């Protein structure tokens, strides 16, 4: 039996165009009520009362629509008697940490990560700082979409309505938390110059402060958010920008975030960006050599290059693959007791340090490898030899199962036979969980062959369901 399908929640919360369903003010207010009802029901199942329930932490990125959505969801929570503490503009991983650190009932982030400013989103963290599992998200969604919602068992009096206040010093607490991971070594990066692209996003203040506290000279860019410029021609979805900035500044390395700073890309001293696979290879092999990689195992998604597995095996390590999405990487890590994992996109999870992908935590840990070994990133990246890959992203009008598209299925089967005849390779096709896209990945030993195959599969999809 297949799992129930979620209509609103994707791979990373609910996303869409701000101001339109489901991210209009009325729906988001009801989302706050639905989340409160589900969590209060769980509390009741454990025999715990409503009174003295912990508050909820809310953080957001710099999008203009964030204020409206923050106010709406806070009102929904307040209407169920729940107090809210606003962390303000702050990275997503900071909310995960603050939720756990403050003993909050759960945490909420208002952000659409790397998406354009016109989009926004809502995602939740449980009291343990981890993203909610599919079942809990489905329960919230069903409550939200129900035609008739029963009122609370105990109607609230005026004195029981929740209140909203500020979570004092949220940024400062997170900055000190990240610095403490490096034993508060204020000389860690002394003599190093880093170019920093904050994507006009949630980390526009925190990442620079952290790097400076650890002794680095920082040349900051794209840290003047105006509500409309998040991710605009900057950030880790535009790697060419940090490459140019490193070359222009003569930096030892470049650091580039996405809008909510749960991702990071690093750029080496020559002005060449390292992708998530290269960063995972550096981080995993460093942990292996220091005896700190749990189970000698890295967790990556099905999208990661096969060369990553080969690099780990060469150093006595192993690779476990998950579905796409950092929450699924984390699920595999928790299931296997592993402590390091990530995605090609730059979601890197040091689970011993935080409970979700954390861009600045990953940057500090990886740049520490550079300092500890005395090798620049351009040298460290050579630990990974990639297999050729071809990727295509195609806008689609719908997302039917691939098995219901005969010509697409036939094209993929032919491609797989060709790759098998060539000795090695794979085809991976999946729909984006956050956008109206089909993502196509072809991997093999012959670059020209896989480019042609990727084009044929894209064309088959375009003919069947292209936007």
């Amino acid at each position: 039996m297949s799992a129930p399908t979620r209509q609103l929640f994707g791979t990373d919360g609910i996303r869409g165009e701000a101001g339109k369903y489901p991210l209009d003010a009325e729906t988001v207010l009801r989302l706050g009520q639905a989340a409160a009802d589900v969590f209060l029901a769980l509390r009741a199942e454990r025999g715990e009362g409503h009174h003295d329930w912990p508050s909820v932490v809310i953080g957001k990125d710099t999008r203009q629509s964030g204020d409206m959505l923050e106010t709406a969801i806070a009102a929904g929570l307040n209407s169920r008697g729940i107090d809210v503490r606003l962390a303000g503009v702050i990275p997503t991983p900071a909310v995960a940490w603050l939720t756990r650190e403050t003993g909050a009932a759960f945490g909420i982030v208002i952000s659409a990560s790397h998406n354009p400013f016109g989009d926004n989103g809502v995602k939740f963290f449980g009291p343990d700082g981890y993203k909610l599992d599919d079942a809990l998200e489905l329960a919230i969604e069903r409550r939200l979409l129900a035609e008739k919602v029963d009122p609370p068992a105990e109607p609230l009096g005026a004195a029981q309505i929740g209140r909203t206040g500020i979570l004092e010093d949220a940024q400062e607490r997170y900055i000190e938390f990240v610095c403490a991971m490096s034993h508060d070594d204020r000389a860690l990066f002394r003599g190093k110059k880093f170019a920093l692209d904050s994507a006009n996003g949630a980390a526009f203040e925190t990442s620079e402060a952290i790097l400076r506290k650890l002794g680095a000279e920082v040349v900051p860019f794209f840290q003047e958010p105006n509500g409309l410029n998040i991710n605009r021609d900057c950030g880790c979805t535009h790697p060419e920008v940090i490459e140019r900035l490193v070359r222009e500044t003569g930096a030892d390395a470049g650091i580039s975030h996405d809008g909510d700073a749960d991702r990071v890309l690093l750029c080496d001293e020559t002005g060449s960006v390292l992708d998530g696979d290269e960063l995972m290879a550096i981080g995993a092999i460093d942990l292996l050599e220091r005896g700190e990689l749990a189970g000698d195992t890295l967790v990556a998604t099905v999208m990661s290059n096969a060369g990553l597995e080969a690099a780990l095996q060469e150093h006595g390590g192993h690779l476990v693959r998950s579905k796409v999405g950092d929450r699924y990487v984390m699920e595999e890590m928790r299931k296997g007791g592993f402590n390091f994992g990530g995605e090609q996109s730059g979601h890197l999870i040091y689970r011993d340090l935080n409970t979700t992908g954390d861009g600045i935590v990953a940057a500090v840990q990886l740049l520490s490898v550079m300092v500890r070994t005395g090798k620049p990133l351009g040298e460290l990246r050579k630990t990974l030899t990639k297999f050729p890959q071809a990727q295509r992203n195609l806008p689609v009008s719908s997302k039917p199962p691939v098995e219901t598209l005969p010509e697409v299925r036939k094209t993929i089967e032919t491609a797989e036979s060709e790759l098998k005849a060539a000795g090695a390779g794979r085809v991976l096709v999946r729909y984006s969980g956050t956008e109206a896209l089909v993502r196509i990945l072809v991997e093999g030993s012959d670059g020209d062959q896989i480019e042609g195959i990727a084009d044929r599969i894209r064309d088959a999809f375009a003919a069947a369901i292209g936007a």
Side-chain angles (χ1 to χ4, degrees), residues 57-307:
V57 173
I58 302 179
K60 61 186 177 182
D61 66 22
T62 57
R63 290 165 216 267
Q64 183 166 300
S65 58
D67 293 350
M68 176 193 75
L69 299 177
E70 174 190 69
T71 301
I73 203 162
L77 293 165
N78 290 162
S79 74
R80 292 298 195 256
I82 296 171
D83 290 339
V84 170
R85 295 292 173 262
L86 304 179
V89 172
I90 199 164
T92 285
V95 176
W97 176 73
L98 286 165
T99 298
R100 190 174 72 255
E101 178 70 10
T102 62
F106 55 97
I108 298 173
V109 176
I110 311 294
S111 174
S113 189
H114 63 281
N115 287 25
F117 91 92
D119 293 340
N120 216 322
V122 181
K123 51 190 169 186
F124 294 86
F125 291 97
D128 56 2
Y130 290 100
K131 291 181 179 178
L132 305 188
D133 61 26
D134 290 349
L136 202 47
E137 286 187 342
L138 182 61
I140 293 171
E141 182 175 294
R142 284 176 167 169
R143 181 79 178 178
L144 173 62
L145 297 177
E147 291 185 11
K148 181 180 184 298
V149 176
D150 295 329
E154 300 178 15
L156 301 182
Q160 295 172 302
I161 293 171
R163 305 189 67 178
T164 295
I166 303 299
L167 180 59
E168 298 292 342
D169 302 322
Q171 281 195 358
E172 291 77 6
R173 292 165 71 174
Y174 176 65
I175 290 167
E176 292 303 322
F177 158 69
V178 177
C179 289
M181 296 175 189
S182 297
H183 308 291
D184 230 13
D185 183 357
R186 303 305 167 106
L188 177 63
F189 297 133
R190 183 176 295 164
K192 298 295 182 185
K193 179 195 286 189
F194 300 140
L196 173 64
D197 177 354
S198 298
N200 291 316
F204 80 100
E205 293 178 314
T206 52
S207 286
E208 180 185 1
I210 288 164
L211 294 169
R212 289 193 187 281
K213 280 181 176 290
L214 295 175
E217 176 186 350
V218 183
V219 188
F221 298 92
F222 302 106
Q223 53 176 30
E224 296 182 357
N226 61 14
L228 307 178
N229 61 1
I230 187 171
N231 298 316
R232 182 189 294 168
D233 300 324
C234 59
C236 60
T237 54
H238 296 276
E240 70 281 358
V241 173
I242 194 63
E243 291 180 328
R244 172 176 56 82
L245 295 175
V246 167
R247 291 192 294 269
E248 289 177 355
T249 61
D252 296 291
I255 302 157
S256 182
H257 290 305
D258 61 340
D260 69 337
D262 63 351
R263 287 165 53 178
V264 70
L265 289 183
L266 298 184
C267 182
D268 72 16
E269 69 285 357
T270 71
S272 177
V273 156
L274 290 75
D275 68 14
D277 283 346
E278 291 172 302
L279 299 179
M280 284 189 284
I282 293 170
I285 290 170
D286 171 67
L287 291 169
L288 265 172
E289 292 178 342
R290 294 190 287 123
E292 295 182 6
L293 185 65
D296 295 337
T297 297
L298 168 71
V299 179
T301 75
V302 292
M303 296 293 289
S304 278
N305 195 286

Side-chain angles (χ1 to χ4, degrees), residues 252 330 344 402 405:
D252 296 291
M330 180 60 85
Q344 275 185 327
V402 174
L405 305 172

